[in-house]
Amino acid sequence: MLLRQCLSQRFHQTFRFCLYHYRLSSTCRKNPLGIQMLSSKLHDQLFSSVGEPVYSTENIEKSIMHLQQFDLGSNESEILDNIEFDLPPLEGTNLNKHFEIIAQKQSEPYVDLIHKLIKADIPPRPTQWQYVKGWTKYSEDDQTPISVDYPNEHVLVFDVETLVCEGNFPVLAVALSPNHWYSWCSSRLIDEEFRLKSNVELNDMIPMESNSSIPSLIIGHNVGFDRTYIKEQYQFESTAMRFLDTMSLHIMCSGFTHAQRLQYQAFEKGSSLKKSDKDDITEEEGLDEQYLSMLLASEKDKDAKAYVKIRNTQ
């Protein structure tokens, strides 16, 4: 009697399990290869303008043959529970338009700042730079430089110089807005305090913004390096400041420069630049003579790690 009850319970459990999976299998969306697709509810929300896909017999046969070459597709894939929930409405008619519109909305303030800089009548460069602590703002007439806490601008072209032999400190910086030039000098440089401390502190960094909620844009060549010396970038609060790297834009559009390509090829071969490349690089890229000499000296050492170390000393 007990055995009969156990068998009966086991039978009902198995039956319910099979019935559940049968219903699940019959209601889920599958492609012709038996692979489970998005649930009908999600598909209707995401691809309402497309409808159900149409598969040609030729493409199905090609797919099956391709899977069989890798011993795939012979067994039915596992059927999972349908995932169904309400999504926010699409911003456009399809997914591509949806993400394109979102990207345009998020980047619009910064694109406007780029256009503002492009259309601006850039002021002439100052004839004399002020050697004082902190930021100095130069007027258009180059007559009345003013000390300021930070450049009160929304878009800037920015560059930082360091003194590596004395520590990883920002020493000098220059910035250009559509209306003004700015220069910054480290207090350590003015007071000759480099050897008093070896650790970089937050006060050694360069202040760049006061209102972190207003969109602002910093443009620079390899700007990721300059960004590491901006004071506000080390605060926990997020800011609306963004960065545009002109080196990345150049590589994206035109690939490596002549010097970068030669260095990369030499690194791939585990060697260094040849002497015959020196004149070409100096003439076309205007690289520092001392740096080129270091590259050429590495010809004696074919070890790739040593070559990378030499490259990083620029």
Side-chain angles (χ1 to χ4, degrees):
M1 185 69 178
L2 181 61
L3 178 61
R4 184 180 300 175
Q5 290 178 351
C6 292
L7 291 174
S8 177
Q9 291 177 358
R10 182 67 178 272
F11 171 78
H12 285 293
Q13 290 175 354
T14 304
F15 177 77
R16 286 196 298 268
F17 178 80
C18 294
L19 181 61
Y20 167 77
H21 278 273
Y22 171 77
R23 290 175 177 174
L24 182 62
S25 177
S26 61
T27 57
C28 77
R29 295 178 61 254
K30 295 182 181 179
N31 65 12
L33 302 180
I35 299 174
Q36 185 177 2
M37 310 294 282
L38 282 176
S39 66
S40 297
K41 184 171 184 177
L42 289 181
H43 181 271
D44 292 342
Q45 295 178 78
L46 294 173
F47 304 102
S48 58
S49 62
V50 179
E52 289 291 338
V54 178
Y55 305 95
S56 67
T57 304
E58 181 182 0
N59 288 337
I60 294 174
E61 292 176 351
K62 286 182 178 179
S63 299
I64 294 175
M65 291 177 58
H66 182 72
L67 290 173
Q68 289 176 346
Q69 291 176 358
F70 298 93
D71 295 327
L72 298 173
S74 57
N75 299 322
E76 290 190 6
S77 59
E78 181 182 359
I79 303 300
L80 304 176
D81 291 344
N82 281 325
I83 299 176
E84 297 183 345
F85 56 90
D86 293 325
L87 292 169
L90 294 180
E91 295 288 340
T93 56
N94 54 53
L95 280 178
N96 285 339
K97 285 292 183 182
H98 172 76
F99 288 108
E100 182 179 337
I101 292 173
I102 290 177
Q104 288 176 347
K105 288 181 178 179
Q106 294 182 353
S107 62
E108 183 177 8
Y110 305 98
V111 173
D112 291 342
L113 291 174
I114 294 173
H115 288 159
K116 179 181 178 181
L117 181 65
I118 292 174
K119 297 176 181 178
D121 186 10
I122 300 300
R125 187 171 57 186
T127 56
Q128 184 175 359
W129 299 95
Q130 297 296 304
Y131 188 63
V132 294
K133 300 178 185 178
W135 281 106
T136 300
K137 176 181 178 181
Y138 300 87
S139 60
E140 295 184 14
D141 57 11
D142 198 22
Q143 299 297 321
T144 54
I146 305 171
S147 293
V148 294
D149 295 331
Y150 54 87
N152 189 18
E153 307 281 355
H154 299 312
V155 57
L156 288 167
V157 179
F158 181 60
D159 188 38
V160 177
E161 296 297 333
T162 62
L163 192 60
V164 178
C165 61
E166 296 292 351
N168 193 27
F169 301 95
V171 177
L172 297 171
V174 64
L176 172 64
S177 77
N179 302 313
H180 299 282
W181 283 87
Y182 294 85
S183 65
W184 179 87
C185 294
S186 169
S187 60
R188 292 179 180 268
L189 178 65
I190 304 299
D191 300 332
E192 298 184 358
E193 296 176 341
F194 285 107
R195 291 180 174 84
L196 297 181
K197 295 181 180 179
S198 58
N199 297 326
V200 181
E201 299 176 355
L202 189 61
N203 289 333
D204 295 317
M205 297 299 160
I206 305 172
M208 290 295 293
E209 58 183 337
S210 61
N211 191 337
S212 59
S213 62
I214 299 178
S216 59
L217 183 66
I218 303 295
I219 303 171
H221 202 68
N222 191 21
V223 75
F225 170 81
D226 305 292
R227 180 181 182 179
T228 61
Y229 297 103
I230 294 179
K231 182 178 182 179
E232 289 77 13
Q233 293 299 301
Y234 293 91
Q235 297 176 350
F236 288 111
E237 299 81 5
S238 61
T239 75
M241 177 178 285
R242 299 294 182 265
F243 297 84
L244 181 64
D245 183 20
T246 56
M247 184 176 73
S248 298
L249 294 178
H250 173 83
I251 294 174
M252 176 186 68
C253 297
S254 305
F256 285 156
T257 65
H258 181 58
Q260 288 172 329
R261 185 175 295 105
L262 289 173
Q263 293 180 40
Y264 178 77
Q265 291 172 348
F267 172 71
E268 286 291 294
K269 296 177 181 178
S271 62
S272 66
L273 298 178
K274 298 179 180 179
K275 291 185 178 181
S276 59
D277 297 325
K278 181 177 179 180
D279 294 336
D280 292 339
I281 298 177
T282 305
E283 180 179 353
E284 296 186 24
E285 304 297 333
L287 295 183
D288 181 75
E289 182 72 20
Q290 182 180 3
Y291 173 53
L292 286 173
S293 299
M294 294 174 66
L295 287 174
L296 294 171
S298 67
E299 185 69 34
K300 299 178 181 179
D301 191 345
K302 302 298 183 180
D303 185 79
K305 292 183 179 179
Y307 179 68
V308 172
K309 184 177 180 180
I310 292 173
R311 287 178 59 196
N312 290 338
T313 59
Q314 60 175 317

